Amino acid sequence: RKAASSDVEADQFESNARWMVTLWGPDENASLHEYSYRLWAGLIETFYATRWDKFLTAVEEEWLLFDQASFDKEIVSWEAEWTARRGEDLAVAPNGEGLVVAQEVYGLLARNRAAL
């Protein structure tokens, strides 16, 4: 956004970036979905964590009746909405200590290994 010469151009830059790092374009049937999985600034918190939460909630609520194909059709509209956002504060610097977080996740998984 900072490299843009106008607000319109900044919005276009952001739109292109959001599509490129997530869905690869506005085609709901795109065969490259997840092809470009990236850890771009703010994606974990604003995109992937929210999407995982929606997925896990759907699985928990529908358990034996969960339909992955139906979920995929529903989530694609949320993903498209995410790519349409503009001017959101996305992280431009690391947040937290990566090694400490990795150790915490490892400890959590080790303690809950039987549940996995």
Side-chain angles (χ1 to χ4, degrees):
R1 294 188 66 86
K2 290 181 182 179
S5 60
S6 70
D7 288 344
V8 171
E9 188 175 50
D11 287 348
Q12 186 62 56
F13 286 174
E14 185 172 351
S15 175
N16 291 346
R18 285 175 179 265
W19 281 111
M20 230 171 48
V21 300
T22 58
L23 307 179
W24 274 79
D27 181 0
E28 292 181 5
N29 300 310
S31 60
L32 290 177
H33 188 258
E34 292 298 332
Y35 173 79
S36 179
Y37 177 82
R38 310 273 175 96
L39 299 179
W40 187 55
L43 276 178
I44 297 295
E45 183 178 356
T46 66
F47 186 78
Y48 292 111
T50 302
R51 196 174 67 174
W52 270 107
D53 183 57
K54 290 176 179 295
F55 172 76
L56 294 172
T57 298
V59 168
E60 184 178 48
E61 290 174 355
E62 301 167 21
W63 192 236
L64 296 175
L65 302 175
F66 177 74
D67 181 352
Q68 182 70 52
S70 294
F71 175 81
D72 290 345
K73 287 180 182 176
E74 292 174 19
I75 199 66
V76 76
S77 64
W78 175 83
E79 292 171 335
E81 289 172 17
W82 183 90
T83 63
R85 296 179 188 173
R86 297 293 173 268
E88 231 176 41
D89 288 334
L90 297 174
V92 294
N95 182 0
E97 295 293 328
L99 180 58
V100 172
V101 172
Q103 290 169 331
E104 289 173 359
V105 170
Y106 178 81
L108 177 66
L109 292 174
R111 286 189 301 278
N112 294 299
R113 186 174 175 177
L116 298 175

